[in-house]
Amino acid sequence: FRGHSSSVNDARFSPDGQKILTGSSDGTAKLWDNQGNVIKVFSGHKSDVMSVAFSPDGQNLLTGSSDATAILWDIKGDKLTVFRGHSSGVKSVAFSPDGQKILTGSYDNTARLWDLNGNTLAVFKGHSSQINSVAFSPDGQNIITGSYGSDPARLWDLKGKLVRIFKGHTTSIFSLSFSRDGKKIISGSADQTAILWDINGNIEQIF
């Protein structure tokens, strides 16, 4: 897949596995078929596209940028909503499992929950440094955020209330994901380890 003029920061499969979405520091996202042909270029950000996501039905796309915004697009390339509220770049984006909410994590040390019209539903505050990764639980009732510091992973409810702190990594968490049943979490860190946790914050395995 060649065509971006700068680094590719994120890449995702569509839910049906037939398309690929990439986000680049050239300020664009690109939709590709599996043979490497560009289907659509998404241009609208003023700076690096740091994170991309497909909606659960594959009909919409989400891009997060270091220009401090996220943009919701339809699959044809039309801009639907611009999400403004972060005071610094958006590092990570995610759709809720039902596709009705948006989650963003930012260099401003906060995460935000939005409706599809760009209204802020909750602000998640407490991290002492930038948020590198965000994810919804499979049931859509909780989110997890990954950052730097002494408590690099935090579990929250959708109202912004802290549920649990996951302590075990010694430095930055760059990636987080729930298991399909929502009972486990995997985290990847700059400390050269990945940790498998149960939902209560207990370490099950260190890789």
Side-chain angles (χ1 to χ4, degrees):
F1 297 80
R2 303 181 188 275
H4 285 294
S5 61
S6 190
S7 60
V8 176
N9 300 313
D10 200 9
R12 304 285 170 173
F13 275 102
S14 61
D16 64 5
Q18 299 304 303
K19 299 179 184 69
I20 290 169
L21 182 63
T22 54
S24 169
S25 289
D26 65 14
T28 71
K30 293 191 176 189
L31 185 67
W32 315 72
D33 65 22
N34 285 341
Q35 287 72 49
N37 301 304
V38 176
I39 299 170
K40 181 63 65 174
V41 178
F42 299 81
S43 300
H45 286 292
K46 297 178 180 179
S47 189
D48 309 45
V49 175
M50 301 303 298
S51 184
V52 296
F54 280 97
S55 62
D57 64 6
Q59 296 305 301
N60 293 320
L61 313 173
L62 187 61
T63 55
S65 171
S66 54
D67 67 8
T69 71
I71 299 177
L72 179 66
W73 315 76
D74 67 21
I75 198 76
K76 298 177 181 178
D78 294 322
K79 189 185 297 184
L80 302 178
T81 309
V82 179
F83 299 83
R84 305 180 191 277
H86 286 294
S87 60
S88 190
V90 174
K91 182 68 168 61
S92 184
V93 297
F95 280 95
S96 62
D98 64 3
Q100 297 304 301
K101 298 181 182 68
I102 300 293
L103 181 62
T104 56
S106 172
Y107 293 109
D108 67 8
N109 305 352
T110 72
R112 285 177 178 254
L113 185 68
W114 317 74
D115 65 22
L116 296 184
N117 296 315
N119 301 303
T120 299
L121 303 176
V123 180
F124 304 84
K125 297 180 179 181
H127 285 292
S128 60
S129 191
Q130 69 188 50
I131 294 179
N132 296 312
S133 184
V134 296
F136 279 96
S137 60
D139 64 4
Q141 298 305 301
N142 293 102
I143 70 158
I144 194 160
T145 54
S147 179
Y148 294 103
S150 60
D151 57 338
R154 290 183 169 216
L155 184 71
W156 316 75
D157 67 20
L158 295 190
K159 295 181 180 179
K161 180 182 178 182
L162 180 64
V163 176
R164 191 161 294 113
I165 294 174
F166 292 72
K167 293 188 176 183
H169 287 295
T170 59
T171 187
S172 319
I173 288 179
F174 288 132
S175 183
L176 287 164
S177 181
F178 282 91
S179 61
R180 288 189 177 185
D181 62 8
K183 295 180 179 180
K184 299 183 188 300
I185 292 165
I186 189 75
S187 57
S189 169
D191 67 9
Q192 302 179 24
T193 70
I195 295 180
L196 180 67
W197 316 77
D198 67 23
I199 199 65
N200 295 314
N202 301 306
I203 296 174
E204 295 194 352
Q205 184 73 43
I206 299 178
F207 303 89

